[in-house]
Amino acid sequence: GQNIDQPTEMTATEGAIVQINCTYQTSGFNGLFWYQQHAGEAPTFLSYNVLDGLEEKGRFSSFLSRSKGYSYLLLKELQMKDSASYLCALTDSNYQLIWGAGTKLIIKP
Amino acid sequence: TAGITQAPTSQILAAGRSMTLRCTQDMRHNAMYWYRQDLGLGLRLIHYSNTAGTTGKGEVPDGYSVSRANTDDFPLTLASAVPSQTSVYFCASSASGESTGELFFGEGSRLTVL
């Protein structure tokens, strides 16, 4: 079967660094997305990884290891506005997009 | 820039009634999607349209129908609502397809079926 696992909730401190993990088991792989969703709002695109390695974009970085079925989103210099849910989604061999349930990140002062 | 507009923002509906959720985009994207989002679950695809005039079924299509008469509009209809259709519904679009391109989402429509 196909499965995506993310922690349900994480807490971090303002100014710190947090890593949100996403592990997956799918029939094939064609790319992995991360989206941010603030409470009561729409998801917004953060990153897209197709190849192994780290993609850096400002304070946010996304890492992918296809052999391990693993990705993480790294958030640096956390700000209160980073409190949101972070959604991992991947494209399987049939080019269907499969979504994880999301990780709710709580930032404390 | 409007992007994707959904209406209504929220609605309470009696079971058995019909309802159409409206979605309009101004980005001239070919592909459009309807998702539902429920607590503890990932977004689930209801229906999609790769281009005007065509539609397809997603993961959870039962009880829903869509049409795509033109590029901009993609309404979702519940013919006879049931309580299990209580959810937040998101319309989305993409220039190159959901599996390889960035999705742009509307603000969502919160539907409660009693």
Side-chain angles (χ1 to χ4, degrees), chain A residues 35 37 42-43 45 91 95 99-100, chain B residues 35 37 42-43 99 102-103 105-106:
Chain A
Y35 281 77
Q37 185 178 24
F45 172 83
T91 306
Y95 288 92
W99 294 83
Chain B
Y35 289 93
Q37 187 174 42
L43 288 164
S99 62
E102 176 182 352
L103 287 172
F105 286 85

Side-chain angles (χ1 to χ4, degrees), chain B residues 4 16-17 33 36 42 45 55 71 73 95 99-100 103 110 112:
Chain B
I4 294 188
R17 300 297 295 269
Y33 314 89
R36 59 178 290 173
L45 183 65
T55 62
T71 297
D73 300 301
S99 62
T100 58
L103 287 172
R110 183 175 295 275
T112 303

Side-chain angles (χ1 to χ4, degrees), chain B residues 29-92:
Chain B
H29 284 168
N30 281 325
M32 296 187 75
Y33 314 89
W34 274 105
Y35 289 93
R36 59 178 290 173
Q37 187 174 42
D38 302 289
L39 193 64
L41 298 177
L43 288 164
R44 291 183 292 170
L45 183 65
I46 304 170
H47 284 286
Y48 66 92
S49 169
N50 289 327
T51 189
T54 68
T55 62
K57 295 182 179 180
E59 178 186 357
V60 289
D62 293 344
Y64 306 95
S65 64
V66 292
S67 62
R68 187 86 183 278
N70 57 61
T71 297
D72 298 343
D73 300 301
F74 191 43
L76 177 73
T77 298
L78 289 69
S80 179
V82 295
S84 62
Q85 292 178 309
T86 293
S87 187
V88 180
Y89 291 86
F90 286 100
C91 180

Side-chain angles (χ1 to χ4, degrees), chain A residues 10 20 27 37 41 44 53 57 61 66 72 82 85 92 101:
Chain A
M10 299 180 69
I20 302 174
S27 56
Q37 185 178 24
E41 298 183 8
T44 56
K57 191 183 296 183
S61 302
R66 290 172 294 172
Y72 66 73
D82 297 330
S85 289
D92 68 10

Side-chain angles (χ1 to χ4, degrees), chain A residues 47-84:
Chain A
S47 67
Y48 177 51
N49 293 65
V50 177
L51 301 176
D52 290 352
L54 187 68
E55 298 267 350
E56 297 186 74
K57 191 183 296 183
R59 293 188 299 113
F60 292 10
S61 302
S62 57
F63 172 83
L64 174 65
S65 170
R66 290 172 294 172
S67 62
K68 296 182 179 179
Y70 170 68
S71 173
Y72 66 73
L73 183 68
L74 191 71
L75 290 73
K76 302 176 184 178
E77 301 170 14
L78 286 170
Q79 302 175 10
M80 297 303 292
K81 68 178 182 179
D82 297 330
S83 291

